[in-house]
Amino acid sequence: MMRMITENDRKQFTARLQKIITEARTEDQTTRNSRATVTLDQQSVGRLSRMDALQQQAMAQATYQRRQAQATRAKSALKRIEDGEFGGCLECGEEIAPKRLQHDPTLPLCITCASG
């Protein structure tokens, strides 16, 4: 049986989820240059510097992708709050443990379904 979240819980989760989305947008704007294509001008940059630049670009792109995925999960969780479905497992319908949601409010599955 699924427990209903309180109005206070709803406000707190909504604020946390909106913060995740805002941080993803901010990071997108501030890291745009580090994700840009690395120019391989051999006259001005040495081989090791080019390798370092490529590695930094790859790390920036991976971080960006993780942050965007987290923002997408946050948007989905906000939609579940609006629809009154937040806190329930999307797979089995059982309640997601409150401590699990406190740790990460974007989680759509209970521990049993997430493990299986």
Side-chain angles (χ1 to χ4, degrees), residues 1-4 84-89 93-96:
M1 180 115 197
M2 198 168 76
R3 142 184 114 85
M4 296 295 293
E85 299 172 357
F86 183 80
C89 176
E94 291 296 315
E95 176 186 7
I96 299 173

Side-chain angles (χ1 to χ4, degrees), residues 36-48:
T37 303
V38 175
T39 57
L40 300 178
D41 180 4
Q42 293 185 5
Q43 299 301 322
S44 62
V45 180
R47 184 173 143 252
L48 291 177

Side-chain angles (χ1 to χ4, degrees), residues 27-108:
E27 181 179 319
D28 177 31
Q29 293 168 355
T30 59
T31 63
R32 191 170 306 241
N33 288 341
S34 50
R35 294 188 324 266
T37 303
V38 175
T39 57
L40 300 178
D41 180 4
Q42 293 185 5
Q43 299 301 322
S44 62
V45 180
R47 184 173 143 252
L48 291 177
S49 294
R50 285 192 310 277
M51 288 172 55
D52 186 47
L54 289 170
Q55 183 179 24
Q56 287 178 5
Q57 176 198 33
M59 290 181 348
Q61 287 175 338
T63 299
Y64 168 77
Q65 290 169 349
R66 278 192 306 275
R67 182 70 80 159
Q68 292 306 307
Q70 185 181 29
T72 299
R73 290 191 310 270
K75 289 175 187 175
S76 295
L78 282 173
K79 177 78 170 117
R80 290 193 303 276
I81 288 174
E82 288 175 19
D83 295 344
E85 299 172 357
F86 183 80
C89 176
L90 295 182
E91 205 164 291
C92 71
E94 291 296 315
E95 176 186 7
I96 299 173
K99 286 187 178 183
R100 186 167 161 75
L101 286 175
Q102 287 295 332
H103 174 71
D104 184 354
T106 68
L107 297 172

